Amino acid sequence: MVTLVMFVFHKESVTEDFKMNSSGALIINRTLNYALVPSYSFTVKAQDSGGKSDTTSIQINVKDPDNWNPYFLHNLYYAFIPEEQVGFSPTIQPEAIKALPGDPGIDTTLTYSISSVTPEKYRSNFEIDSIGGNLSVVTAIDREEMDSSIISVNIKVDQVTDGRTATAQVRVEVEDVNEAPQFPPEVYKASVFSTDPFKTPVIVVKASDPDVGDEGRLEYSLVSGSPYFDVDASSGLVFVVSVVDLSGQAATVEVKVTDPKGLNATAKVEVEVLGGTSSNDMVTISLNRPANVVERNIPEMEKSLGKALGWTVDIIQVYSSTRGSPKSRTLAVKSLVNFIAVDKAEVVSYEQVVRKLQSESAAVTTELTIVFGEGVQFAVEERPKDPDSDNLALTISLGVIVPCVIILVVIFVLKRSGSFRRLVHFSKKAEDQAMKMDNVNQDRQSNRGQRQ
């Protein structure tokens, strides 16, 4: 007797991926996908025509052929780092850097590395942990030296088992950190005369700030108020308020510079206050350069003249040779420079300075060339004329003439009234009396000397 046996899936194990024929052969019905279903479990039932049956279990594991590349969770990451930080691991957005194998069922190791950095010069500033993918800054980055605040770090992950790779990019933005302004380390030194008027420039103090944009704006002030000096808030120019009470003394001024965030630095200015000077000591030279050009280079010109002459030079005034409109200061090619020379707190005489200018003419020209360029020429001008001298002479003349006129008028009136003779007689008598008193005093002195 022939028994017919039929094989079927148990109703709880129905799947469209496999089928079984009547002979019990298990057939793959469509392509398997390990990523979706890594394994199958079946219950198969065998039943004959008499209704008798039996079941068995089948376990099928799908083998991953490992044909997928690893991948990063995001193609583009963002990081924000403050400048000048070392050993810093920035927070990564939208989440920490992480890659996964393309075939999640395989047992493989992923390693991270940096493939390139743009700009290339920042390649050595970054490292990435080969196992965890943690990006860190190993060398400080100065924001002020960067053309752009963005650095692109291209990262790569390698699948060790088969060498498959994936890439992503981290866009790093370097944030500017406010830094304190700085003065040069040396103490500023200058000298003025006790007769210098209000607003006479003393010296310009200049601080530097590495910050860019608004954070690099600086404001100058005095640490403590001074009745003698003040400073321009924007330029750092220290100027005279009144130093008439400091003649022959030295004063110290402390200047503070502050940035918009309140960070500050201080510098000391030592000012020697010299005694008053006379216009007779002032020397005038002419330069074949416009007055506005000379004015912009006053500090450099003082140094160059001082080096050539061996004295400290203070420029008092710069003006156009035409003394015309302000336009002439830029068009006129000849400028006049009034200055004095100081040697050990003493003003050098006009005659000495002129002789030195003439004897050291070559050295002076060489130094001025450094400041104003090739072709510069200078000449010693005649002693500067005091613009008030004519008025002074007129005042003196009037002071002498007017009293003389008054005396003549008085004499004329007295003669008319007959009193002039009495006045002359009285004056003569008083003069004789005074001579007698002088003789008596001389005799007394002589007798006192003999007794001693």
Side-chain angles (χ1 to χ4, degrees):
M1 175 176 159
V2 178
T3 303
L4 179 62
V5 179
M6 181 174 59
F7 295 90
V8 295
F9 288 118
H10 193 275
K11 64 179 180 179
E12 296 178 356
S13 303
V14 174
T15 176
E16 295 181 358
D17 295 338
F18 294 90
K19 65 180 179 179
M20 182 171 285
N21 61 19
S22 59
S23 64
L26 187 63
I27 302 170
I28 298 176
N29 197 38
R30 62 182 181 181
T31 303
L32 304 181
N33 189 334
Y34 174 86
L36 295 177
V37 184
S39 64
Y40 294 85
S41 295
F42 302 121
T43 299
V44 179
K45 178 181 178 184
Q47 183 177 342
D48 61 14
S49 57
K52 293 183 178 181
S53 64
D54 194 10
T55 61
T56 186
S57 297
I58 299 175
Q59 177 71 31
I60 298 176
N61 294 321
V62 180
K63 186 177 180 182
D64 186 4
D66 192 16
N67 58 352
W68 297 93
N69 292 330
Y71 63 94
F72 284 96
L73 297 183
H74 302 275
N75 292 326
L76 181 62
Y77 295 89
Y78 296 90
F80 302 89
I81 63 173
E83 65 173 339
E84 303 295 350
Q85 295 293 316
V86 178
F88 178 78
S89 297
T91 300
I92 304 295
Q93 296 178 358
E95 60 182 308
I97 297 171
K98 186 176 182 180
L100 296 174
D103 299 301
I106 65 172
D107 183 16
T108 187
T109 300
L110 299 179
T111 59
Y112 299 88
S113 62
I114 296 176
S115 56
S116 64
V117 175
T118 305
E120 175 62 28
K121 66 180 180 178
Y122 295 109
R123 173 62 185 86
S124 61
N125 294 86
F126 297 93
E127 281 186 359
I128 191 169
D129 179 31
S130 62
I131 303 301
N134 185 41
L135 185 69
S136 61
V137 181
V138 295
T139 306
I141 302 173
D142 189 347
R143 170 64 184 87
E144 285 71 37
E145 295 180 356
M146 299 176 63
D147 296 329
S148 170
S149 62
I150 302 298
I151 300 175
S152 297
V153 180
N154 299 306
I155 57 176
K156 182 176 70 170
V157 63
D158 289 273
Q159 203 161 261
V160 175
T161 54
D162 57 8
R164 294 178 180 273
T165 64
T167 60
Q169 185 182 94
V170 183
R171 186 169 295 176
V172 180
E173 181 171 351
V174 181
E175 299 173 318
D176 187 32
V177 176
N178 188 38
E179 299 174 65
Q182 294 180 335
F183 279 110
E186 67 270 13
V187 175
Y188 290 91
K189 294 185 178 182
S191 62
V192 296
F193 289 97
S194 61
T195 53
D196 283 343
F198 176 65
K199 282 285 187 178
T200 297
V202 178
I203 196 170
V204 175
V205 295
K206 200 69 176 175
S208 60
D209 193 323
D211 294 315
V212 296
D214 290 340
E215 292 184 358
R217 290 186 292 105
L218 302 177
E219 183 173 311
Y220 299 88
S221 62
L222 297 186
V223 173
S224 57
S226 169
Y228 309 113
F229 303 96
D230 205 346
V231 63
D232 181 76
S234 58
S235 67
L237 171 66
V238 179
F239 58 86
V240 169
V241 175
S242 175
V243 290
V244 67
D245 295 332
L246 295 179
S247 180
Q249 302 179 45
T252 300
V253 182
E254 193 167 10
V255 181
K256 180 172 70 173
V257 62
T258 308
D259 71 9
K261 293 294 183 68
L263 297 180
N264 60 78
T266 59
K268 288 185 177 180
V269 180
E270 295 179 355
V271 185
E272 185 179 8
V273 182
L274 309 174
T277 181
S278 167
S279 61
N280 291 332
D281 299 319
M282 191 163 57
V283 179
T284 302
I285 63 172
S286 60
L287 288 177
N288 59 337
R289 292 291 186 270
N292 66 323
V293 173
V294 178
E295 283 180 335
R296 289 198 301 266
N297 293 277
I298 284 179
E300 292 78 8
M301 185 176 177
E302 287 178 335
K303 291 180 181 178
S304 66
L305 286 176
K307 183 178 179 180
L309 300 177
W311 297 316
T312 299
V313 170
D314 287 318
I315 293 178
I316 307 300
Q317 185 182 18
V318 176
Y319 53 95
S320 170
S321 59
T322 61
R323 290 185 177 270
S325 65
K327 189 175 181 181
S328 67
R329 301 180 67 79
T330 59
L331 297 179
V333 294
K334 181 179 178 182
S335 301
L336 298 178
V337 180
N338 294 341
F339 71 92
I340 59 171
V342 180
D343 183 23
K344 299 178 181 178
E346 295 293 333
V347 178
V348 183
S349 70
Y350 169 86
E351 292 76 15
Q352 285 181 277
V353 177
V354 170
R355 286 196 297 269
K356 197 71 172 287
L357 283 169
Q358 293 169 344
S359 65
E360 300 296 332
S361 175
V364 172
T365 301
T366 299
E367 290 297 326
L368 291 176
T369 300
I370 297 174
V371 179
F372 298 105
E374 293 293 335
V376 66
Q377 297 177 356
F378 83 96
V380 179
E381 299 292 313
E382 293 182 3
R383 184 189 296 270
K385 185 177 181 181
D386 187 349
D388 295 326
S389 61
D390 293 339
N391 294 334
L392 179 61
L394 178 60
T395 302
I396 294 173
S397 299
L398 290 175
V400 173
I401 293 172
V402 172
C404 290
V405 172
I406 294 174
I407 291 173
L408 290 174
V409 172
V410 171
I411 292 174
F412 176 76
V413 173
L414 290 175
K415 288 182 87 174
R416 297 276 299 193
S417 64
S419 302
F420 181 67
R421 264 178 263 158
R422 287 195 300 274
L423 178 62
V424 172
H425 176 72
F426 176 78
S427 300
K428 178 67 175 171
K429 186 176 180 180
E431 183 180 349
D432 293 341
Q433 186 67 28
M435 290 180 64
K436 289 180 181 180
M437 289 299 296
D438 287 341
N439 292 334
V440 171
N441 288 333
Q442 289 178 5
D443 292 341
R444 289 178 178 174
Q445 291 290 339
S446 177
N447 294 333
R448 188 180 295 116
Q450 290 176 0
R451 285 197 300 272
Q452 291 176 351

